[in-house]
Amino acid sequence: MQALYICGPTASGKSSLALQMAEELDGEIVNADAFQLYRGLEIVSAAPSSDELRQVPHHLYGVLEPTEAADAQVYTQLARPVIAEILSRGKTPIVTGGSGLYLKFLTHGAAPLPTGNPQLRAEMDARPLADLIAQLEALDPLEASRTALQNRRFVSRALEICILSGQKASDLRDQWESKTHEISSQLRGLVIQRTRPDLHARIAQRTRAMLSGGVLDEVAALADVSTNCEKAIGFREIRALLAGTLDRNTCEEAINAATRQYAKRQETWFRREKWLQPHPIS
RNA sequence: GGCCCGAUAGCUCAGUCGGUAGAGCAGUGGAUUGAAAAUUCACGUGUCGGCGGUUCAAAUCCGUCUCGGGCCA
């Protein structure tokens, strides 16, 4: 018995496929979506409806407060025991979600790297990028040569690893790279594939339903949120709508565009995960 | 009907003194092991509304027509 992973871009229909698979395989659904982890973001994050939640046992939905921060490692620590527990009862975990990095951690494990440090990050954010690059090149030239140096996030993280661990990020990362291949061959999962026009139509439909389905109230109710939750697609746009700085149509289109772009990035990510079996729906 | 303004990439628009056009957004492809719904890289040929004229050369100047918008009747 082993877990089944259901991946795919946002709005591709992962939740309903998961329900179907759960019934076929006597399974239970485990969330693999970074934002559906949070309580109070159900509508913006397009979490499963209460009807769906009732049909089959669902795990890791709404388990974090919006004020809490999380990351791929935290997610893995939450998900591992849940999956093990489901397996121990002889059921099939149906791990469902579109957060590529989270899934990658869960399936392939974490490299032995230090956890992100908010204070250090704040300090680095205040420094010029060229400065960070220079420091990384001094501490770990190999890692610097492998890093997309225009990407501030990547430079910061590489530097953060060096500073917090006192070791070279390149050495630590290499330790993890070596094991990935054999793990992949033992996994089983599906990626939902839809044509772009179909996916775009579904996104538009979902955004519309969201806007008339209570997101405004949901977002209005979220006073203090972690910087994590602020990044949810729709969150900023709806706040602007509530504040009157954005009209409804512009808001709707902004959400649609951001969602389409996200879906494309997800497709790029999952395309690389060769262990995932394509599951076309049309 | 007369006068004025506009018409350039899917959208919004820039384009100097004439030298066959470029930004933003959208879109497409990529990267991505502790912020990931994040972050980041690359990709711009389009009857310059149509036709005619001037010119070595027209998106640019002239004429005319079409379609918008406005003002006056």
Side-chain angles (χ1 to χ4, degrees):
Chain A
M1 196 63 91
Q2 99 180 279
L4 174 69
Y5 294 86
I6 295 182
C7 311
T10 189
S12 60
K14 294 185 290 295
S15 300
S16 58
L17 180 62
L19 279 179
Q20 188 190 319
M21 297 309 288
E23 278 166 22
E24 279 177 31
L25 301 171
D26 189 24
E28 301 191 5
I29 296 172
V30 180
N31 175 38
D33 181 291
F35 286 79
Q36 292 174 10
L37 245 25
Y38 288 99
R39 191 173 310 134
L41 297 185
E42 288 80 9
I43 305 172
V44 241
S45 69
S49 67
S50 48
D51 269 3
E52 291 175 312
L53 295 174
R54 241 174 275 126
Q55 284 178 50
V56 163
H58 281 65
H59 305 267
L60 297 182
Y61 289 89
V63 294
L64 297 177
E65 292 300 330
T67 49
E68 289 181 88
D71 59 37
Q73 168 75 338
V74 167
Y75 168 71
T76 305
Q77 287 169 347
L78 290 171
R80 281 258 161 84
V82 168
I83 290 168
E85 192 273 333
I86 294 168
L87 288 168
S88 76
R89 287 187 278 109
K91 306 271 187 177
T92 305
I94 313 283
V95 183
T96 306
S99 298
L101 183 69
Y102 283 24
L103 280 157
K104 188 71 176 177
F105 267 63
L106 181 60
T107 54
H108 291 74
L113 305 176
T115 300
N117 179 310
Q119 199 182 336
L120 177 57
R121 287 177 178 185
E123 285 168 25
M124 289 192 293
D125 284 348
R127 293 167 56 193
L129 177 58
D131 208 30
L132 302 177
I133 292 171
Q135 193 181 357
L136 180 61
E137 279 169 342
L139 292 175
D140 188 349
L142 177 59
E143 187 65 11
S145 73
R146 293 168 173 179
T147 303
L149 298 175
Q150 321 88 322
N151 193 332
R152 189 179 187 96
R153 280 280 175 91
F154 289 3
V155 174
S156 297
R157 166 93 273 238
L159 192 53
E160 179 181 58
I161 293 167
C162 296
I163 292 170
L164 296 177
S165 70
Q167 298 177 66
K168 290 188 175 182
S170 52
D171 289 343
L172 297 173
R173 279 184 165 154
D174 285 346
Q175 290 175 32
W176 169 79
E177 304 273 355
S178 56
K179 295 194 262 177
T180 60
H181 189 72
E182 61 184 277
I183 293 172
S184 292
S185 65
Q186 293 164 6
L187 296 166
R188 108 186 131 129
L190 306 174
V191 220
I192 298 180
Q193 293 182 337
R194 287 179 183 274
T195 64
R196 279 292 161 81
D198 181 25
L199 191 61
H200 288 182
R202 289 174 61 94
I203 287 169
Q205 189 182 19
R206 194 181 69 184
T207 303
R208 182 154 292 236
M210 208 178 262
L211 283 170
S212 56
V215 236
L216 270 57
D217 292 339
E218 181 178 275
V219 171
L222 291 163
D224 294 319
V225 296
S226 63
T227 51
N228 260 29
C229 297
E230 276 177 354
K231 291 180 307 204
I233 289 172
F235 185 83
R236 189 163 298 179
E237 293 86 347
I238 289 162
R239 279 215 161 159
L241 177 64
L242 290 168
T245 53
L246 210 60
D247 66 79
R248 190 166 168 123
N249 285 341
T250 311
C251 175
E252 184 170 335
E253 182 43 32
I255 294 173
N256 280 333
T259 308
R260 276 184 241 127
Q261 290 164 347
Y262 172 49
K264 189 163 77 68
R265 276 179 264 131
Q266 289 176 297
E267 289 188 330
T268 301
W269 184 290
F270 292 128
R271 226 173 265 148
R272 298 208 303 174
E273 298 294 329
K274 303 296 186 199
W275 57 277
L276 287 168
Q277 186 190 330
H279 185 83
I281 298 181
S282 55

